[in-house]
Amino acid sequence: MRPGTLNHPFSPSFYISLTLQLLVLLPSHYHYPSQWHNIHNAHYEVYAAQEEQEEEEEEDTRILQNNNNNNNNLFCTHDDVPSSTSTTSSSTKVINQVLSYLDDHKRSIQNTILQSYTDHHENVTRPSTQYLYDDFRASLEWMARVGVDRPNDTVMGGGGKWNFYMGPDNCDNDGWHIGLANVAAFLGQSMTMVILNDTCDELNWEMIFPNPNSKDPDGFYPLSNACGQSGVSYTKSSPNSCPASEEMYQCDVDPYMKITAASKTTFEGDAPPPLECSPRTADQTVTGHYDPAPNNPDIGGRIVNEEGNVIPSQLGRTDVEGCCWWGRGALHTRGVCNLGKLNYYLGAGAAKEGRDGGARYPDIDFCTNPEAICADATRTMEMRWTVALFEWTERIQSHDDGIMGWNYIEEVTKFAMEGDLISSVQFSLLQGEPSHFIDEVGGVLEQGCPFPPCDTERPQRLRWKSRRKRNFITAVEGVGLPVKSELFRETEEHFNDPLIRANFEDVLLLSKSPVDGKVYQSYRYHFTDFMESLRKMADVGFGDNFFYIGQGMEGTLGENSGLLNIAMFLSYAIEMSILDDACDEHNTQLVNGRFPVSNACGMYGASYQDIVCGAGAEDAGKECPLDINQSFSAVTRTLDHRAPQPFKCAPKSQYPVTGFWDEAHLEENHKTAFTNQIGRIDVEGCCWWGRGVLRKVTQGRCFFGQLNYYIGKRAAMEGRPSIYPKIDFCSFPEAICASEHSNELRWVSGMFYWIKQVQSFDNKDGWNYIEKIKELSTAIISGGELDRSLLMSVDCILKTGSVDCDSAEDLTDRLNEVLTLITGFTLPTQSPTTTMSPSASPTDFPTVIPTDVPTSLPTSTIPPSASPNIFWWPSRQDVDLIIKIIEEKRAPIESDLLTPRVEIDDENLYSLDGFLSALKVLADGTVQGLYFYVGHGTFTNYNHRKRGLVNVAAFLAHSKTEAIHNSICDERNVDGIEGKFPLSNSCGQHGVIYQNLRCTPDEAFMECPPDPGLQMSAVAALTSSDGAVADPNGPPAFFCGPRMYFPFTGYYDGESKTIRNDEPFSNRAGRTDVQSCCWWGRGAAQVKGVCMYGKLNYYIGARAKEEGRRSLFPSVDVSSSFFGLILLHGFSDRKLTPLPNLHFQFCQNPQAICSGQYSYSLMWVTGMFSWVEVVQSHPEYSVNLDKIADGDMGYEEFIDAISDILGSSDDDKIERRSNFKLAVDAIGLA
């Protein structure tokens, strides 16, 4: 048990009573469907003994009564703000609400807030090792429930408790939202101060430049930075030293104290040593500095402590005497005042004066041993949170500045309850501009007042201002506080109406196959992604630009004009991308009867790399620089194996000339140059094709440069707010279609273009788009018609930047359909007309505008020749529901399906958590064009839900048959010949040669190429072929290697239990060597053969990354020892060369599935991928799923049909049948 928690038994009646109370107290108006669905399953940990229950109820009554009295309300209060001098205790009910809600968001908190950078570049994060959720949760609960006694003194106020504020108990039952905002504010500051660097002790981070005006100044880290950094002394400057009225709490500075920090940077490379303090001596009067030696990497960093070479800190210190007060813990609590208060209230000072209620650490004197915060052997992990929460409660939460009119509790209440949360986080990053709530909190924490600079003698700007804001947003979203404006909430509520949402998902998001004309639910465009993208662009936006949903308009007019704008956008999204299920622009222009590969440079007369931002316009010069060395491939192409390959760009050194798509041979022909319409015969610098939901107009360096400037990496680098601060749209424009954010970016990129090109249109003749749709929405409400001429003008604006063009497309019918589906009423339309008055184009658009792309050719997509998937695409809600159902069946699934047939000492290879993680990835469409089926419309259609669960059960039964039952990852050598097991069985067993398991001709380009030099060894099995614990002297694990090392292979003699390598011994297929025999079965489904490993590499491995597609496992470095392999198999006398480290590829290192960094994921992921390719794609499988869901097929007949698809042996068929029955029972399908 964690410190501060109790575990007392309660009677069943108490739990029933508590559950009923909680059900009554749930918010009736607050929209958290995912959190509050099936709330009767929620559980709350109870931390007080039953005999304390009456006391807690009395406290709750007292607090509620206090709230009522404050507001003259006979029953309860709508808004209660305790003053800084009153108690900030919250009722047990409110504390339970906050803690339960945080527990529900534990995974989100871990994955977003409790993350640390892996290096100084701050590009990649990993889970923090120093700050863990359970420690935070235990400390937070202690500070909220128990807290710290405040003595009756004249300085700190008249008694009571220091408690972390979880919000008031009020009529609307939403007071706990204030507590959640308080938690988010704390965690956001903690992220900034410590979590992202993953250290407990403050780091030596401030560099001094003795010669700042030199051409290439050298910077150094004074070791005396321990005394204070950023010009702040930890013993003299406020708030690190106490004011005169609080000097009684302050620690005495002991010049003889000697401490070295327990933690230092976790980043790789040279860094200053940990901070330390020690007295000056006659021999050492100065402490020197750390020289990182950036210009001398061979030397590396070093400490310099030489006479005449002294570099003082910014404070002027050159020693560390009495400088033991650097920051420690989750807020870097520092200074003689704060550490003194810590000792007075929580440490030895409290115990010494008999204040046992607050002495959480009575044995620790924080004035003589402040390092205990980071170095206490048993308590440091929770202590670093507790001291920070105490400082927050004592200094931040209680801050009440009557002169400046700033009270923290009032401000956090205002933030959580009154303001539009996200719009109030539209931070300005410039000094002197209006501050935001979180700026003011940072000011109190850092400098002691809400409006820095607070020290008029040595004024300092607030450190890391923009970082605090970004981290605050992360914390707010991580804990689940609704970061939405009121207007967006209304819009969201409208679209979440069951009928409208069903229309959106089941009609608007349909794609059409170009091969057979069948429609299916889009793989790439989902309702939830649209809504999240709309939130970001409507509420967050960029600069002063937002996607219009009715902002600035009151009532119905605003709502309807906003819906009209959304409908207009969706109409073009459907026509340009959703119908084709495409993200990248496709090669659609024929030139002399062929499709030039150089169409990537531009089609229909446009040169995409020459589309730059117009001179003199607002965005002049914002286009991406032209980089001729860029090289990557598009993700999507037309979903027809006869269609041209996806666009690519590459330097001439890679493709000196480019040819055309050869439809006869289904390949690109680069033997002779073939020009596109504008004369290009190469693809150098041609990376600017259209992408996203408006891919037919989003071409050119201007568009991608604008994206980067306003919402990408350039914005972040230049200190402006950025929605995607780590994405450089100039160096990798394919991020829209092939990055971790591509689900959103497909929509966001289109909305960005719509804002810049359409919404902002306002020409000199008075044609203003926003005013036009306001007028049109008013006319519609009054029974008017859709104005076709207006809509054709919008089409021209979108495609040319002018209201007049030669080839406007009439989308009136499409818009009418969309409006009908998202509003519920049908609109009359005018008779067709194309009359338009000419108008000048604005000047802030690109100087070259691509013409509209004809739509005569089909443009549906999916990577080349993917196996057909005839199931409907599941929504994220479908996936979450199936995962929830499986989670509820954890116990029987683990015991009946994931437990090996024999007990082994090691942890099971196949865990339910690993399965669920892989399921979420494979079912959610992360792999382009392929998904593991879990059903669709599962919330309302039981048969569809059953189809998905049956598919899961069948896969688990197959996995148990193939691997789980025997606890293996690598295939075992089981095909003996008269008691002799050929070592060449790694090439194939039972007469099959695995390297001959080839792809069909149309998929042959995905195969792994033969490589006779590959060499690797399998992982030894934990069980034998009969299910017993593996015999350490049994057949050795499979291995492969070239004939130069293994001219021949022998066999394992089952009788003598020895390896015999004296002469060749062939397997059933005649192989007597193991060259190119690395394709044995691996993972949950025992993936085998050069075709399947090639597909894995193509879709989720290194090849996907290299060709610019999204990859689940793009670049994992692995290494293996060929020497160990040689010794294991009895070839110790052979001459060897070391095996180099292999870049992760399924073709170069298929063994990574079983013995790499990501093995526990890959075992499941590769199995599901194989299941999709082999089973789900089989034409009979969907029919059988329908039959079993409708009761027209029995379970045994169904699983036998799968065994027939897999070509299983009779024994495997019988075992799979038995395992399927177990799976059906465990999941609850029986």
Side-chain angles (χ1 to χ4, degrees), residues 735-1008:
I736 292 173
C737 303
S739 73
E740 62 178 318
H741 298 292
S742 57
N743 285 347
E744 290 177 11
L745 281 170
R746 298 182 193 115
W747 291 104
V748 167
S749 60
M751 293 176 184
F752 178 92
Y753 188 88
W754 187 264
I755 293 168
K756 293 289 290 182
Q757 184 88 342
V758 178
Q759 281 186 196
S760 62
F761 190 89
D762 183 12
N763 70 6
K764 63 182 181 182
D765 295 327
W767 206 104
N768 180 283
Y769 171 80
I770 295 297
E771 293 303 321
K772 290 289 185 182
I773 62 167
K774 289 177 182 177
E775 294 170 5
L776 181 57
S777 66
T778 302
I780 291 172
I781 295 302
S782 303
E785 301 174 333
L786 285 178
D787 184 347
R788 288 181 183 269
S789 63
L790 168 62
L791 302 185
M792 295 178 75
S793 293
V794 172
D795 188 79
C796 289
I797 293 169
L798 180 68
K799 298 169 182 175
T800 70
S802 170
V803 294
D804 186 16
C805 60
D806 296 332
S807 56
E809 186 177 1
D810 187 354
L811 290 188
T812 306
D813 292 340
R814 174 67 71 189
L815 176 61
N816 198 354
E817 176 194 25
V818 174
L819 276 173
T820 300
L821 291 171
I822 69 172
T823 61
F825 56 86
T826 305
L827 307 173
T829 58
Q830 293 176 331
S831 301
T833 177
T834 57
T835 305
M836 287 181 258
S837 57
S839 176
S841 172
T843 60
D844 59 345
F845 297 113
T847 57
V848 181
I849 305 293
T851 58
D852 187 26
V853 180
T855 57
S856 57
L857 291 175
T859 54
S860 187
T861 178
I862 281 295
S865 191
S867 301
N869 256 318
I870 57 178
F871 306 107
W872 281 58
W873 181 270
S875 69
R876 298 254 174 98
Q877 287 74 20
D878 290 320
V879 177
D880 290 342
L881 176 60
I882 295 301
I883 287 177
K884 181 177 182 293
I885 292 171
I886 296 172
E887 278 272 22
E888 292 172 351
K889 302 294 183 180
R890 175 178 288 271
I893 291 174
E894 289 181 334
S895 62
D896 296 343
L897 298 176
L898 302 182
T899 302
R901 69 174 82 187
V902 297
E903 186 175 344
I904 54 179
D905 292 335
D906 289 14
E907 184 179 349
N908 291 346
L909 284 177
Y910 297 92
S911 70
L912 183 61
D913 290 333
F915 169 74
L916 292 177
S917 297
L919 181 64
K920 187 167 183 62
V921 170
L922 268 295
D924 210 15
T926 302
V927 180
Q928 292 289 344
L930 300 171
Y931 67 95
F932 187 95
Y933 182 67
V934 294
H936 64 279
T938 55
F939 277 92
T940 56
N941 191 314
Y942 175 77
N943 273 7
H944 289 173
R945 184 191 310 173
K946 186 176 181 180
R947 281 176 54 144
L949 289 172
V950 167
N951 190 47
V952 170
F955 171 75
L956 286 173
H958 174 58
S959 298
K960 179 164 185 175
T961 304
E962 293 291 320
I964 299 172
H965 209 179
N966 293 315
S967 193
I968 62 170
C969 180
D970 287 281
E971 183 181 359
R972 297 168 304 166
N973 191 338
V974 297
D975 187 17
I977 301 173
E978 297 180 353
K980 299 176 181 179
F981 296 83
L983 301 185
S984 57
N985 274 349
S986 58
C987 301
Q989 302 195 82
H990 309 292
V992 177
I993 297 295
Y994 297 154
Q995 70 189 75
N996 291 339
L997 297 178
R998 307 286 300 277
C999 293
T1000 57
D1002 60 322
E1003 294 182 330
F1005 68 94
M1006 287 189 272
E1007 276 182 10
C1008 288

Side-chain angles (χ1 to χ4, degrees), residues 135-244:
D135 299 313
F136 161 70
R137 208 264 196 198
S139 298
L140 176 65
E141 182 170 25
W142 185 83
M143 278 301 299
R145 293 191 193 278
V146 181
V148 180
D149 285 342
R150 296 198 309 187
N152 287 300
D153 58 53
T154 57
V155 179
M156 304 304 291
K161 287 269 193 180
W162 297 112
N163 288 100
F164 191 93
Y165 187 51
M166 297 294 221
D169 210 343
N170 60 5
C171 278
D172 291 334
N173 199 36
D174 59 1
W176 62 276
H177 295 169
I178 300 171
L180 202 60
N182 192 27
V183 171
F186 169 80
L187 287 174
Q189 296 295 325
S190 185
M191 286 179 67
T192 304
M193 302 300 292
V194 299
I195 298 174
L196 286 168
N197 290 322
D198 210 19
T199 61
C200 179
D201 288 281
E202 183 178 351
L203 300 177
N204 188 340
W205 55 264
E206 185 170 42
M207 185 175 276
I208 300 297
F209 296 88
N211 300 300
N213 297 323
S214 64
K215 183 178 180 181
D216 188 16
D218 291 327
F220 307 95
Y221 298 92
L223 300 187
S224 54
N225 278 345
C227 302
Q229 302 191 80
S230 192
V232 176
S233 168
Y234 298 161
T235 58
K236 298 179 180 178
S237 302
S238 176
N240 300 305
S241 63
C242 292

Side-chain angles (χ1 to χ4, degrees), residues 1033-1089:
N1033 297 316
F1038 280 154
F1039 68 102
C1040 61
R1043 291 191 188 100
M1044 65 180 291
Y1045 300 139
F1046 308 101
F1048 61 84
T1049 55
Y1051 63 91
Y1052 170 81
D1053 186 347
E1055 182 177 350
S1056 64
K1057 298 186 182 299
T1058 59
I1059 296 173
R1060 306 297 297 271
N1061 258 328
D1062 302 330
E1063 57 184 0
F1065 189 85
S1066 66
N1067 68 358
R1068 294 187 190 277
R1071 290 295 297 265
T1072 60
D1073 67 301
V1074 290
Q1075 180 168 293
S1076 299
C1077 291
C1078 306
W1079 314 110
W1080 59 79
R1082 295 175 177 92
Q1086 293 291 280
V1087 172
K1088 302 178 179 74

Side-chain angles (χ1 to χ4, degrees), residues 517-738:
K518 292 182 179 178
V519 296
Y520 59 93
Q521 200 165 19
S522 171
Y523 295 154
R524 289 183 173 80
Y525 296 99
H526 305 154
F527 173 79
T528 51
D529 296 326
F530 166 76
M531 292 304 299
E532 176 60 16
S533 302
L534 183 63
R535 179 188 72 82
K536 288 186 174 179
M537 297 307 286
D539 270 352
V540 182
F542 53 96
D544 295 326
N545 302 283
F546 305 92
F547 191 93
Y548 182 72
I549 58 173
Q551 293 94 328
M553 303 298 297
E554 297 293 334
T556 306
L557 179 59
E559 180 182 353
N560 288 323
S561 60
L563 287 175
L564 180 57
N565 186 50
I566 293 172
M568 296 272 275
F569 169 78
L570 285 173
S571 299
Y572 283 99
I574 292 169
E575 292 293 325
M576 290 191 178
S577 294
I578 298 173
L579 273 177
D580 299 332
D581 210 7
C583 180
D584 291 282
E585 187 178 6
H586 295 161
N587 191 340
T588 60
Q589 186 184 15
L590 285 166
V591 177
N592 295 325
R594 291 172 172 171
F595 294 98
V597 173
S598 57
N599 273 348
C601 301
M603 293 192 291
Y604 306 101
S607 173
Y608 296 160
Q609 72 188 61
D610 294 324
I611 302 177
V612 296
C613 301
E618 175 189 355
D619 289 334
K622 291 186 174 66
E623 66 271 2
C624 291
L626 184 61
D627 181 359
I628 62 173
N629 293 314
Q630 283 180 310
S631 176
F632 43 81
S633 171
V635 172
T636 67
R637 69 167 186 173
T638 304
L639 185 56
D640 185 336
H641 71 279
R642 299 162 297 180
Q645 286 286 326
F647 278 150
K648 66 169 69 71
C649 61
K652 292 178 182 177
S653 60
Q654 188 172 344
Y655 289 96
V657 295
T658 54
F660 60 91
W661 173 249
D662 187 338
E663 292 183 277
H665 296 91
L666 299 181
E667 64 182 8
E668 290 181 350
N669 184 333
H670 297 295
K671 295 177 181 178
T672 58
F674 193 86
T675 181
N676 69 352
Q677 182 179 337
I678 60 175
R680 291 295 296 266
I681 57 171
D682 64 294
V683 288
E684 186 172 83
C686 295
C687 306
W688 313 107
W689 58 82
R691 296 170 174 91
V693 76
L694 297 184
R695 66 197 172 102
K696 295 182 181 179
V697 291
T698 56
Q699 304 98 339
R701 289 195 288 135
C702 180
F703 169 70
F704 291 101
Q706 289 172 325
L707 272 180
N708 207 40
Y709 181 88
Y710 288 106
I711 67 172
K713 189 172 183 178
R714 182 177 174 185
M717 295 293 288
E718 295 179 2
R720 296 186 304 279
S722 172
I723 301 177
Y724 303 101
K726 297 178 183 178
I727 296 181
D728 190 330
F729 292 99
C730 288
S731 65
F732 189 51
E734 193 61 20
I736 292 173
C737 303

Side-chain angles (χ1 to χ4, degrees), residues 192-351:
T192 304
M193 302 300 292
V194 299
I195 298 174
L196 286 168
N197 290 322
D198 210 19
T199 61
C200 179
D201 288 281
E202 183 178 351
L203 300 177
N204 188 340
W205 55 264
E206 185 170 42
M207 185 175 276
I208 300 297
F209 296 88
N211 300 300
N213 297 323
S214 64
K215 183 178 180 181
D216 188 16
D218 291 327
F220 307 95
Y221 298 92
L223 300 187
S224 54
N225 278 345
C227 302
Q229 302 191 80
S230 192
V232 176
S233 168
Y234 298 161
T235 58
K236 298 179 180 178
S237 302
S238 176
N240 300 305
S241 63
C242 292
S245 60
E246 298 182 1
E247 284 183 353
M248 59 181 290
Y249 305 114
Q250 188 163 291
C251 289
D252 295 327
V253 176
D254 180 359
Y256 298 102
M257 193 183 297
K258 188 174 183 179
I259 298 175
T260 299
S263 56
K264 63 178 183 178
T265 179
T266 58
F267 299 156
E268 293 183 1
D270 291 325
L275 296 175
E276 65 175 32
C277 61
S278 62
R280 285 176 290 187
T281 65
D283 296 331
Q284 187 176 2
T285 59
V286 296
T287 51
H289 60 272
Y290 177 81
D291 180 2
N295 298 322
N296 296 288
D298 295 335
I299 299 175
R302 61 196 180 101
I303 295 175
V304 179
N305 195 0
E306 303 168 350
E307 289 291 336
N309 189 12
V310 178
I311 298 176
S313 68
Q314 191 181 145
L315 291 171
R317 292 291 297 263
T318 59
D319 67 298
V320 291
E321 184 174 276
C323 295
C324 307
W325 314 105
W326 58 80
R328 296 170 176 92
L331 285 181
H332 273 170
T333 300
R334 66 192 186 193
V336 291
C337 184
N338 294 321
L339 288 164
K341 288 181 179 179
L342 192 63
N343 194 52
Y344 183 87
Y345 287 109
L346 272 74

